[in-house]
Amino acid sequence: MAKKKEFSFEKFEAIPSQDNTTTVIQTVIVQTGPSTKVTFDCPNELVEQMKDYGYWEGMSQKEIIIEALNVYFEDKSFKERPEKVKQRKKVGRKPKGIGF
């Protein structure tokens, strides 16, 4: 079984090039803690915008969503869920491979 790579996205400021006509954006991928796969419905218009933006900026959809969520939560303040709620049994299908 392949090992999962755990990364997060960090964006650095633009660095002017030698000829001062173009700008280079540096992107650094930093290994962090565990992550979770998320699936959700999204309006087609937003998906198309994300694909167009990702194409021209050289970013994956995952990177765009993670960056957008980081910016969204940057100035928000909220309490964590209670531990009882965090430990609640997950709903849905049982994982494959656990059988008799």
Side-chain angles (χ1 to χ4, degrees):
M1 181 169 16
K3 292 183 181 178
K4 281 190 175 181
K5 293 183 181 178
E6 298 161 358
F7 298 105
S8 70
F9 176 76
E10 291 185 17
K11 194 169 188 177
F12 286 96
E13 296 297 319
I15 300 171
S17 64
Q18 296 293 336
D19 60 1
N20 291 328
T21 57
T22 59
T23 304
V24 177
I25 303 292
Q26 286 185 338
T27 303
V28 175
I29 307 274
V30 179
Q31 190 169 1
T32 60
S35 62
T36 301
K37 197 174 268 192
V38 178
T39 304
F40 57 90
D41 288 327
C42 185
N44 289 335
E45 182 179 302
L46 289 177
V47 173
E48 287 302 315
Q49 288 177 345
M50 184 171 44
K51 287 179 181 180
D52 293 343
Y53 181 81
Y55 176 82
W56 291 109
E57 296 297 321
M59 296 172 68
S60 69
Q61 292 177 24
K62 174 186 171 183
E63 292 170 339
I64 294 168
I65 291 171
I66 290 172
E67 181 179 349
L69 287 172
N70 284 331
V71 169
Y72 178 80
F73 286 121
E74 200 170 76
D75 58 349
K76 304 280 192 263
S77 60
F78 49 88
K79 297 189 304 185
E80 283 192 26
R81 295 169 292 150
E83 208 50 47
K84 183 179 178 181
V85 174
K86 286 183 181 181
Q87 300 303 324
R88 191 179 298 162
K89 185 179 176 183
K90 308 261 187 289
V91 296
R93 296 177 82 178
K94 292 183 181 177
K96 292 182 180 179
I98 301 177
F100 297 99

